[in-house]
Structure formats: structure tokens, C-alpha cells
Amino acid sequence: MSGSDTPTGYAQPMAVFGGEPSYALVIDCRTLIGSYLSLKDIPVVFLITYSGNKRIVSETPFRERMLECEKAASLLGVKNLSYATSELLRVKRGVLNETLHKRAVHVVGETLRIHEANLAMKERDFVTFGLKMLQSHSSLRDNFEVSNEDLDNLVAIAMACEGVYGSKLAGIGFGGCTITMVKKENLENLIDTLSINYSGECSFLIAQPWGCSTELTFELNEYLCKIEKANKHVQNEVAVTKKERALHCEKCNKILKSKIRQVKDDLDKEKEEKKLQEQQQQKQ
């Protein structure tokens, strides 16, 4: 809890005191034990994009979401939703109203996605990791209901860019930032595209895993943070009206949905091919 009795999470303080250079910190919220996931020599970077939507945690429905999760866990008969399963949600569907069911579906699904994303990064499977980011954003938007139009548009615009594997809102939502995983060689194009096509004023940080305590968890790239969209418009001689931006975002959303379907189809195809190969080997 914060000084204003607003509930807060464990991620930030654990990152501050437990961070290690070149490693992501994977936190088990049941035990508050962290494990390290190597990010050494990966060909991607994580771009933090600030939407311009300033939000103060105590002024958001974040506390309401926490209470909803606690109530859902109590009705399901578990200590907290991290102990719930998809099967439990199916069996006890009748004890939860629509809102509480959506909150529980998000937490149960997110727990599984984090596990799958962790395994994917260990294997350097960036396609699967990016898919988990997209699925997380969709659930945060539809089930946990903490996204907004600006965050959704930033994700959609990012996903329309070459070299982007995945994008999602960061933190508790209700404004704030998105985080996008992109190939290093496509970073500058991603920043330019977001700066030009986003309807608001956005700014950027490159996420860098640093050590703990007094060191910052994000490296501030001066060039990126000084980008002003108005200047970009002049430099590139691009005049984008609000109507054109809206049409562009609508197009990006369609591309996003198409890309998610394509990624899923590719993964299913790979699994099917692997299964056929195994069957052929068994026959031999």
C-alpha cells in the first residue's frame, strides 16, 4: 500500500533492489521470489512509448480492480487468483458475475502467458514472445479493462511497423506507456512512425536492464526523448490531419488483427509439421 492507501504492486521495488545488468527479473507473486532471465546479445530492443496521458494511481480505478480480484478469489475459494485455474473457472462459473469472471480470466490467462513468454525468451523465440505481449494487451483491454484509446492506437501503429514482434500497455494502464519489442535495425523507423501517426504527443525511452539500487532501470536516450512530433512533420514534410490519423489508426487495427491471426497460423503450421515429422520418424 502507498501512503494514500492506494494498493501498489511488487514489481517496481523488486526491480530496484533485485535488478541485474543484462537480465530480466521474473517475479513469482506467490512467494515474492525472483529468477533471472538472460537478455544478453538479443537482436531486439524494448521501446517504452509515453502516450502523454498522465495518470495518478490513486485517481484511477486500480484499487477497484484489486478489490474485484480479491472478491473473485474469495468466491472461487482460493487464497488469490494466482492459485486459480481455467478448469476452476469453468467449474465455478456460476459463482462469479460477468465483471468478476472477466477479471479472473485475465489473471489466470496472464499467469500462463508469463510462463510461456519466459520459456520463449529462453529459446530466443521472439515470435512467440511477441504474440504473448499482444495477447496480454488484448486481455488487459477486454477483460481487465485498463487500456484506453490512445494506448490501443499506439499498439496498433507499432504492430503495423516492420520488425515489430509485439506491443502492449505497460504498468497498471489507464494511460501511461506502452512497451514494444522491435528488431534493433527497425527501431528508428518505429519511432518515426509513432511520432508522425499518433494523434497525441508521445516520447520515448529505451528499456535497459541495469543493476539494482541507485542505478536507473531505464537508460534515457537523449536523442529519442527530444523528438518532437511537430519538428518531425516539418523535417519529413508530412501533414497529417486528425481525420487522416484516425483513418490510419483504423487501418493499423485491421493490420494488427491480421498479424495476430498470421502468427497463430504460422505457429500451428510449425506444430503440425513437427508432428508429421515425428510420425514419419516413428514409421521408419
Side-chain angles (χ1 to χ4, degrees):
M1 302 286 282
S2 69
S4 60
D5 289 334
T6 300
T8 55
Y10 301 110
Q12 290 174 327
M14 287 192 70
V16 169
F17 293 105
E20 287 292 335
S22 301
Y23 286 87
L25 183 62
V26 183
I27 302 170
D28 184 338
C29 291
R30 292 184 186 178
T31 62
L32 296 186
I33 294 175
S35 59
Y36 293 103
L37 175 63
S38 175
L39 299 179
K40 292 181 179 179
D41 302 321
I42 57 175
V44 298
V45 293
F46 291 90
L47 178 69
I48 307 294
T49 304
Y50 176 52
S51 66
N53 291 170
K54 184 178 180 180
R55 51 110 174 93
I56 300 173
V57 177
S58 60
E59 296 177 358
T60 70
F62 181 66
R63 181 181 179 83
E64 180 183 331
R65 294 294 182 278
M66 297 288 289
L67 293 175
E68 288 168 343
C69 289
E70 291 175 4
K71 185 174 182 179
S74 177
L75 291 172
L76 290 170
V78 293
K79 183 178 180 180
N80 59 58
L81 288 179
S82 70
Y83 291 90
T85 63
S86 297
E87 178 62 17
L88 179 63
L89 291 182
R90 186 188 67 79
V91 172
K92 292 195 173 185
R93 176 64 182 89
V95 305
L96 302 179
N97 63 30
E98 185 63 26
T99 297
L100 295 183
H101 181 256
K102 288 167 69 174
R103 306 298 185 252
V105 166
H106 169 70
V107 175
V108 171
E110 194 77 343
T111 300
L112 179 60
R113 280 188 290 273
I114 291 171
H115 174 69
E116 293 172 338
N118 187 20
L119 293 177
M121 183 58 74
K122 286 180 179 179
E123 297 174 0
R124 298 302 190 248
D125 181 355
F126 303 117
V127 172
T128 298
F129 191 95
L131 177 61
K132 297 307 164 185
M133 293 179 70
L134 286 172
Q135 291 174 340
S136 174
H137 181 79
S138 295
S139 184
L140 286 163
R141 179 192 64 214
D142 300 333
N143 293 321
F144 218 53
E145 298 179 292
V146 296
S147 189
N148 62 22
E149 184 178 355
D150 285 337
L151 295 175
D152 292 341
N153 284 337
L154 282 174
V155 169
I157 294 169
M159 290 308 304
C161 293
E162 184 178 357
V164 170
Y165 287 106
S167 186
K168 65 183 291 293
L169 68 83
I172 67 168
F174 306 109
C177 303
T178 62
I179 181 168
T180 302
M181 183 170 71
V182 59
K183 293 179 181 178
K184 290 180 178 179
E185 61 265 31
N186 298 116
L187 174 61
E188 188 171 350
N189 177 64
L190 171 62
I191 292 170
D192 288 343
T193 302
L194 287 167
S195 298
I196 292 170
N197 293 292
Y198 178 55
S199 58
E201 295 291 335
C202 55
S203 53
F204 308 92
L205 289 171
I206 305 297
Q208 295 280 6
W210 285 82
C212 61
S213 190
T214 58
E215 292 184 299
L216 294 175
T217 54
F218 296 113
E219 179 183 12
L220 186 63
N221 186 309
E222 185 176 357
Y223 166 71
L224 298 180
C225 290
K226 286 187 176 180
I227 288 179
E228 295 181 2
K229 192 170 63 174
N231 290 337
K232 277 292 179 182
H233 284 183
V234 174
Q235 293 169 11
N236 295 294
E237 297 181 353
V238 176
V240 184
T241 65
K242 288 187 177 180
K243 183 177 180 181
E244 288 172 329
R245 291 194 195 106
L247 290 173
H248 180 82
C249 289
E250 182 180 351
K251 180 180 178 182
C252 288
N253 277 312
K254 291 180 180 178
I255 294 173
L256 172 60
K257 292 178 181 178
S258 175
K259 189 161 186 175
I260 292 175
R261 286 196 299 270
Q262 181 183 344
V263 170
K264 287 182 177 179
D265 290 343
D266 290 343
L267 289 173
D268 290 340
K269 185 178 179 181
E270 288 180 9
K271 290 179 181 178
E272 188 63 29
E273 289 176 350
K274 187 176 180 180
K275 185 178 179 181
L276 289 173
Q277 289 176 357
E278 291 175 350
Q279 290 175 348
Q280 290 175 353
Q281 290 175 354
Q282 289 176 355
K283 289 180 180 179
Q284 294 175 354

